[in-house]
Amino acid sequence: MNLSAPDFGHEVRFGMDTIANMGVFRVRKMDRVNVSTRREDGQEPRFESHERTYEPRVSPSSANSNKAIAAVPRWVDDRLTLAKGGKTFLNKIFPDHWSFMLGEISLYSFIILLATGVYLTFFFVPSGHMVLYHGPYKPLWGQHVSEAYMSTVNLSLDTRFGLLMRQMHHWAADIFIAAAVVHMCRVFFTGAFRRPREINWMIGLTLMLLAIVNGFLGYSIPDDLVSGTGLRIAFSIFESIPIVGNWLGYAVFGGPYPGNGDVIFRFYIAHVLILPLLILGLIGAHMGMMVYQKHTQFPGPGRTNKNVVGAPMFPTFMAKTTGYFFVIVGVIALMGALFQINPIWLYGQYIPYKVSYAVQPDWYMGWLDGALRIMPSWELHLPGHMIPNVFFPAVLFPGLTFNILYAWPFIERKFSKAPDIEHHLLDRPRDNPKRTGLGVGVLTFYFMLFGASSTDVLANMFHVSLNTVLWFFRFAVFIVPVIVGFAAFQLAHEMKEGPQDLGKRKRHNIVVRSAQGGYSTIPVEGRPGDGHGEPEPEVLNPEVLHPEVLHPEVLGEPLHADLPL
Amino acid sequence: MSDPRYADRTSRPKTVERTIAVCFTVSLLSTVGFAATYWQTGPDMLLGVFFAMIFLGMGVGVIAWGKYLMPQGPFVEERHPLTTTEEDKQEFAEAFGRGADSIKRRKLLGKLFVAVNGVFAIALIIPLRSLLGAKTPGSELYHTNFGKGTRLVTVNGEPVTLAALDVGGAQTVFPEGYVGSATGQTILIRPQTTPLVTKPGRETWSPAGYLAFSKVCTHAGCPVGLYLQEFKELLCPCHQSVFDVSTGATQVFGPAPRPLPQLPLAVNSQGYLVSQHDYDEPIGPGFWSRGALWNGHNS
Ligand code: HEM
Ligand code: FES
């Protein structure tokens, strides 16, 4: 056998690939019961070929209990012939880094959204039909409210577990999108979107877009005063689109908003069926592609562009990720229990002429709200026609945003001097100062817009006039990102040029005083635990090795892809 | 020395094990608490805390188990390059060519087939028109229900007389018969007791100092509900556009691109406030054909 990795030939005596490959554990047990661990080629097993020799740590007695466990996959395989796929699956290697958890947070909040959302559908009545309120919440007695609003109030105040589910649903939505945004940042700043992952970048973006839309729809259907005001603005935004605006607005809202309340039912169906299905499908594709292409990893000992180094799917990754799921459920449940969100019974039913104070959309709409606020009071007049003010900040601007994001992998590719190879080793942000500077600048821009969505709150807080705050943001939105972006570029640049171990953990400096009285620092040598003393990575699944088909032209060592800006 | 790739990642595995056991026990007990709270119709807050503890206990325990008591590696897995052999590519191209050839040979059929599909796609769009509901975009975009002599009524439907407001007061009014109308909503204010000419040509529009402006913001359509008596300004709460009442609700601050349209008022023979005619421009935010179909107010 001409494999570059160890092959545990003796393991065939278990007859089952699955067990055999979980079976590096088994090798050790066999050790104790005196079965040869020698490889077919007569060499020592790999873990003994290091300078250190490792001793088996599982007692022989557990070999028997393992036989019983082995019966389970065997039983499954006999019926479904899953051994090959199952083995690969259980042996799949996951590189470990805290930032790889961000996508998981999104994923798990989405699962929570599905579960809590289904519960809510049992109580929510998606109808704009107006009725006289005489329910359990006395302050609303005698008011005309829609069935959608009434059912939401009753679900919140008169259904055990109802308020908790509603608030968990809302918090989960906010966290879902927040985690997706941070996840996108990690993908951006580490260059994980580069070949071959461009498609997954675009799927991810679509997910984010759908998540934002679905969040807005869900926020709208209780038909309360705050969200209704948001819907009114959304209707104006549809109407602002040139040529088709009126028709599109009417088609989506079933006539001019608020109309006869059709819009509640339409948005409900979109919110609970159409968009969740799309999101679910795309998450499947997103995950499938990630499994197929394998996860990226940061550079480190033993890690190359041609391998993945980390912990196995089973049991380590499975345990951790299941644990994360539970913790996320727990945290969101705690938030749902302790932090009130969207108390619609205090806002009242949406009535077109009623003014709601402190209109605040959910956070992920903040950038658009900010853009609406700081837009100068212009509109474009053409002979007989016009392009309204809101078109620019609320249609053109988000349109550009997403289009540029979609195109980003290709834009960077075009300007990059690096060879067009597969990239499986991640950049650290400092490795590509231009990308990092640009990204930080753009993020700052959106962050400033988000701040601009609170002009009124800020004016109150700092006791300055609204006028001052508005004009501050009109300029700061463009100036601050340039400064911050440039600072990020400089920082990354200096870190890149500086000593290479910068930023690594646990490197102590010794301060030395010279005879002349000057001070200097000497970094101490790396110690185990810094990532320097890590053992050699070991092959778990030798079958996947086919060195003869490795294509150096696509798996070449990545160079740092700097953009010539 | 045992293989660190498989070894526990802790020097005190017993302590970790015990801690995990405690976590799982907390989870278990919380389940009991949760059920009891539900049974006793306890507050949702308590339900939620127990619910959270169930999951946090399990979660923290399982993570600790995975992190400290399971093999961490590093293990390595090789990547397959995401490319196929030249042979595969060749065969793929051939298989595709085989089909494409026989399609290309029948030029007319091919083109017709594409045409049919195009027509089909358009045919699918047509039924979407039903989504428009009963109304297609039309006159309601340009006109409100105010006409010549339409009485102004309050939210309760009561007609408004000259005694309705003190100086500095403000009130929402509608065209009679259309209380609550989204397009007809109008804000009636009284900055002074004598006529206030906001613009040339509006000399007769403000009997006894009453002014009426469309309440629909010209920015994005929110109700402009706040009257700042001191400054004689109207404020829209949505994006803080400010309109100066004495100059005809011209926009003085914020994103609103146009003044709020003013409703010409008069007093009828019974002493009620009425409109002289409809607003003389479409109310509310702009839209593409706002200028095109506008053919003057109904009188
Ligand atoms: C909206 C819901 C989303 C979910 C549930 C989700 C979930 C995940 C998960 C669990 C992973 C693997 C772990 C990780 O690296 O975090 C992943 C990887 C990835 N995601 Fe997402 N994601 C979402 C949105 C996005 C967005 C908005 C983008 C970018 C525009 C994106 C781009 C990617 C890419 C390129 C990878 C592969 C990264 C790698 O292998 O290093 N995803 N996603
Ligand atoms: S809707 Fe009035 S300022 Fe935007």
Side-chain angles (χ1 to χ4, degrees), chain A residues 99-108 110 176-177 179-181 183-187 190 192-194 197-209 211 279 283 286-287 290 293-297 405 426:
Chain A
S99 70
F100 300 160
M101 223 176 69
L102 298 165
E104 285 176 59
I105 298 180
S106 267
L107 181 64
Y108 295 145
F110 181 68
F176 175 46
I177 300 172
V181 171
H183 166 59
M184 180 174 88
C185 293
R186 106 91 180 124
V187 169
T190 59
F193 56 83
R194 292 171 298 174
R197 295 185 178 75
E198 302 96 330
I199 302 177
N200 229 11
W201 166 264
M202 294 197 279
I203 294 179
L205 268 177
T206 314
L207 275 170
M208 180 139 82
L209 194 65
I279 293 176
I283 287 183
H286 200 69
M287 299 292 90
M290 191 209 47
Q293 297 181 333
K294 297 199 172 71
H295 210 291
T296 51
Q297 62 188 349
L405 282 173
L426 295 170

Side-chain angles (χ1 to χ4, degrees), chain A residues 24-25 28 47 53-55 57 93 160-164 196-197 229 232-233 236 239 242-243 246-247 250-251 254-255 266 293-295 305-312 315-316 319-320 323-324 326-327 329-330 333-334 337 352-355 357 369 372-373 375 377 379 384-386 388-390 422 424 455-456 466-467 470 535-539 545 549-551 555, chain B residues 1-8 34 38-39 41 44-45 47-49 51-52 55-56 58-60 62-63 66-67 70-84 129-133 135-138 140-141 155 172 174 180 182 185 215-216 219-223 225-226 237-240 251 253-258 285-292:
Chain A
V24 258
F25 306 102
R28 263 145 281 268
F47 60 85
T53 311
Y54 301 128
E55 237 175 57
R57 50 172 289 272
I93 297 300
R160 266 185 279 177
F161 209 49
L163 182 61
L164 180 69
R197 295 185 178 75
T229 310
R232 178 63 184 89
I233 297 174
S236 304
E239 294 232 297
I243 307 174
N246 285 140
W247 295 87
Y250 275 49
R266 284 186 187 184
Q293 297 181 333
K294 297 199 172 71
H295 210 291
N305 206 29
K306 297 177 182 156
N307 67 12
V308 195
V309 173
T316 315
K320 282 192 190 173
Y324 287 136
F326 289 148
V327 167
V329 179
L334 216 50
Y353 60 86
K354 277 220 175 137
V355 179
Y357 301 89
D369 196 39
L372 276 171
R373 284 182 190 217
M375 176 74 192
S377 62
E379 50 189 12
H385 295 281
M386 68 176 301
N389 179 287
V390 292
E422 287 180 15
H424 302 294
T455 41
D456 47 343
L466 208 53
N467 204 9
L470 184 79
E536 280 279 299
E538 185 181 54
V539 174
L545 269 183
V549 298
L550 289 182
H551 291 230
L555 278 179
Chain B
M1 189 180 173
S2 74
D3 186 340
R5 289 175 295 237
Y6 297 92
D8 294 338
F34 179 78
Y38 190 91
W39 181 261
T41 327
D44 259 34
M45 196 183 274
L47 267 182
V49 171
F51 193 74
F55 283 96
L56 286 175
M58 278 200 293
V60 173
V62 175
I63 290 177
K67 196 169 160 63
M70 284 181 184
Q72 300 296 317
F75 302 107
V76 63
E77 182 180 8
E78 299 298 316
R79 288 179 193 279
H80 296 287
L82 297 165
T83 176
T84 45
R129 197 182 177 287
S130 305
L131 290 176
L132 288 167
K135 281 210 156 259
T136 52
E140 74 280 0
L141 289 167
V155 289
T172 302
F174 301 94
Q185 54 175 304
K215 203 178 165 179
V216 186
H219 179 228
C222 287
L226 301 178
C238 281
H239 315 101
Q240 283 83 41
Q251 73 286 13
F253 180 77
R258 271 171 286 112
F287 50 96
W288 173 246
S289 50
R290 183 175 180 271

Side-chain angles (χ1 to χ4, degrees), chain A residues 102-114 168-184 203-204 206-215 271 275-276 278-280 282-283 286 328 332 335 363-364:
Chain A
L102 298 165
E104 285 176 59
I105 298 180
S106 267
L107 181 64
Y108 295 145
S109 344
F110 181 68
I111 293 173
I112 297 172
L113 281 171
L114 286 182
M168 275 180 73
H169 193 71
H170 204 133
W171 280 121
D174 283 351
I175 288 176
F176 175 46
I177 300 172
V181 171
V182 186
H183 166 59
M184 180 174 88
I203 294 179
T206 314
L207 275 170
M208 180 139 82
L209 194 65
L210 293 176
I212 291 177
V213 171
N214 212 33
H271 178 75
L275 274 96
L278 288 175
I279 293 176
L280 205 60
L282 285 174
I283 287 183
H286 200 69
I328 291 163
I332 289 178
M335 292 173 81
W363 76 268
Y364 46 83

Side-chain angles (χ1 to χ4, degrees), chain B residues 109-121:
Chain B
L109 290 186
K111 278 182 189 149
L112 265 177
F113 186 73
V114 171
V116 167
N117 276 287
V119 171
F120 181 60

